[in-house]
């Protein structure tokens, strides 16, 4: 468990505000609105959802409006989690629960959630395999893992550095090792893609 990803907690107020503005920027919704993304993810009203690296609640809040069950927002940044709690209260959502934790050490029971969401956070993981192992542990058989990631190979778009990008192909291979089969995969603008994988029973 290497927790060297705490570094984004130390920028103070100005840094926090910049990060929020960046994460909540309108262009992010133009490439793929959270509602559009969630519409493509197979889920019932009764689904429980885990949003990994929830940040500003970009996916958490729309997901909580879609389901009656609990939506867990996981992030290492307490300020982000407080922001999500405030947003949830503002729109009177009682089904959002925040978890201050790392993606590679999820404080949930095995097979406890139907859907795990990860929007532009996998490349931040210290170890992709540790995260996928945890995702596989908490997702029920027949459940789904839906991710938005960068794959800007062959393009001149600005994503994270190449060496930490996770191509759709690589993600598919790694997921297969944890019992997931990619059922949908499509490319977005800005060098991003969406991958939705089902955990085989």
């Amino acid at each position: 468990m290497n927790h060297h990803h705490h570094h984004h907690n130390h920028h103070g107020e100005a840094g926090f505000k910049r990060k929020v503005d960046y994460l909540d920027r309108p262009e992010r919704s133009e490439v793929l609105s959270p509602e559009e993304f969630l519409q493509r993810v197979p889920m019932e009203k009764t689904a429980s959802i885990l949003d990994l690296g929830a940040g500003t609640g970009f996916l958490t809040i729309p997901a909580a409006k879609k389901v009656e069950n609990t939506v867990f927002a996981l992030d290492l940044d307490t300020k982000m989690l407080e922001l999500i709690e405030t947003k949830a209260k503002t729109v009177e959502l009682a089904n959002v629960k925040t978890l201050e934790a790392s993606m590679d050490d999820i404080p949930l029971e095995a097979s406890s959630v139907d859907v795990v969401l990860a929007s532009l956070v996998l490349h931040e993981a210290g170890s992709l395999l540790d995260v996928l192992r945890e995702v596989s542990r908490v997702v029920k058989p027949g459940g789904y893992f839906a991710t938005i990631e960068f794959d800007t190979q062959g393009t001149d778009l600005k994503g994270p550095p190449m060496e930490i990008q996770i191509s759709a192909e690589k993600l598919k291979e790694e997921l297969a090792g944890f019992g997931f089969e990619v059922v949908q995969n499509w490319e977005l603008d800005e060098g991003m893609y969406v991958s939705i994988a089902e955990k085989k029973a």
Side-chain angles (χ1 to χ4, degrees):
M1 296 295 162
N2 46 1
H3 293 302
H4 58 260
H5 272 72
H6 287 266
H7 60 244
H8 57 262
N9 299 5
H10 307 305
H11 304 319
E13 286 303 324
F16 176 71
K17 182 167 174 1
R18 265 201 312 277
K19 189 171 174 186
V20 169
D21 291 345
Y22 173 74
L23 291 172
D24 275 349
R25 68 195 184 284
E27 305 87 77
R28 189 170 170 189
S29 289
E30 281 162 24
V31 174
L32 180 69
S33 78
E35 290 76 13
E36 232 176 312
F37 172 56
L38 292 164
Q39 224 167 347
R40 304 283 292 260
V41 183
M43 63 171 96
E44 306 290 321
K45 268 254 175 250
T46 53
S48 57
I49 299 173
L50 166 63
D51 184 9
L52 285 186
T56 59
F58 181 74
L59 289 176
T60 307
I61 301 297
K65 289 176 182 170
K66 255 183 98 75
V67 298
E68 288 145 12
N69 211 327
T70 309
V71 177
F72 296 99
L74 179 141
D75 206 284
L76 274 175
D77 194 327
T78 24
K79 281 212 173 96
M80 289 291 182
L81 297 176
E82 283 162 14
L83 180 67
I84 290 173
E85 284 167 8
T86 304
K87 283 187 180 179
K89 278 198 190 78
T90 307
V91 289
E92 298 180 357
L93 289 170
N95 59 336
V96 172
K97 189 169 191 290
T98 56
L99 302 171
E100 188 182 340
S102 165
M103 295 187 282
D104 58 16
D105 193 6
I106 302 170
L108 291 173
E109 299 290 311
S111 306
S112 59
V113 293
D114 297 291
V115 176
V116 175
L117 307 170
S119 174
L120 308 180
V121 290
L122 285 185
H123 63 267
E124 290 188 7
S127 157
L128 176 63
L129 294 183
D130 287 348
V131 174
L132 296 182
R133 184 176 295 114
E134 276 291 86
V135 167
S136 178
R137 183 181 69 77
V138 300
V139 173
K140 296 172 185 170
Y144 291 89
F145 176 52
T147 185
I148 303 174
E149 255 314 323
F150 288 103
D151 183 7
T152 60
Q153 263 98 354
T155 64
D156 46 9
L157 292 163
K158 297 272 181 284
M162 279 302 168
E163 63 274 14
I164 60 169
Q165 285 189 21
I166 303 157
S167 71
E169 202 41 55
K170 177 176 162 64
L171 184 63
K172 184 180 169 182
E173 279 170 32
E174 304 294 16
L175 278 168
F178 293 102
F180 283 91
E181 185 186 319
V182 172
V183 287
Q184 293 186 53
N185 199 94
W186 74 96
E187 285 178 30
L188 304 170
D189 297 337
E190 302 294 316
M192 293 179 228
Y193 67 90
V194 172
S195 175
I196 297 175
E198 182 180 358
K199 186 177 171 189
K200 292 292 155 210

